[in-house]
Amino acid sequence: MSKVELELASMVLGPFDEEHRYELYEGYVLSGRHIFIMDAGDLWLRQVNTAPGMDHLYIDGDSGGLIVANEVEGMDTRTLIETIITELTQINGLQFLLDIMLWTKDRGDINLKLEILR
């Protein structure tokens, strides 16, 4: 098992209800494009863009986020992220769809739009 490379960084998320209101989150960036952040006890995964001229600062990307783990406050976040990444890299896409996506409780319908794979 190889070491998971994560960068400790911050991400600006917003604007929210008021056009001038943004939030700053600390998290772990994977491959310079994705950040894991904690919010209200849940571990989120979001796509990010680098903030021009700033080290270790990212701007929320062009997609929504995914909650990848619930109620994990108090756990070692970095260890949890490393475990999730390691486990997911050991399964293939079909296993992920069948074993994880279909069996996630309280999950609504999701349109993965896999026709783009043609």
Side-chain angles (χ1 to χ4, degrees):
M1 173 177 73
S2 64
K3 178 81 172 130
V4 177
E5 296 289 329
L6 296 171
E7 171 194 2
L8 183 59
S10 294
M11 176 196 68
V12 177
L13 183 61
F16 293 103
D17 295 335
E18 300 169 22
E19 65 184 44
H20 66 279
R21 184 162 177 257
Y22 292 82
E23 295 290 331
L24 185 66
Y25 290 89
E26 184 179 71
Y28 293 94
V29 176
L30 175 67
S31 303
R33 297 187 334 232
H34 306 94
I35 191 167
F36 291 88
I37 61 168
M38 290 291 296
D39 188 24
D42 296 329
L43 181 63
W44 285 79
L45 175 61
R46 300 190 70 89
Q47 186 264 330
V48 290
N49 299 311
T50 56
M54 304 292 289
D55 291 333
H56 309 292
L57 181 64
Y58 293 82
I59 300 168
D60 188 39
D62 300 323
S63 66
L66 298 170
I67 297 175
V68 294
N70 297 104
E71 300 174 17
V72 295
E73 200 132 47
M75 297 177 92
D76 179 17
T77 304
R78 185 181 182 109
T79 301
L80 176 60
I81 293 166
E82 289 173 347
T83 301
I84 290 169
I85 292 170
T86 300
E87 292 296 318
L88 289 178
T89 57
Q90 294 177 12
I91 64 173
N92 64 42
L94 184 57
Q95 271 185 290
F96 175 76
L97 289 174
L98 297 176
D99 297 343
I100 295 175
M101 290 296 292
L102 282 178
W103 292 100
T104 299
K105 292 184 183 204
D106 301 322
R107 176 194 51 78
D109 292 338
I110 299 171
N111 182 351
L112 296 176
K113 299 182 181 184
L114 295 179
E115 67 275 4
I116 65 171
L117 299 176
R118 289 189 250 163

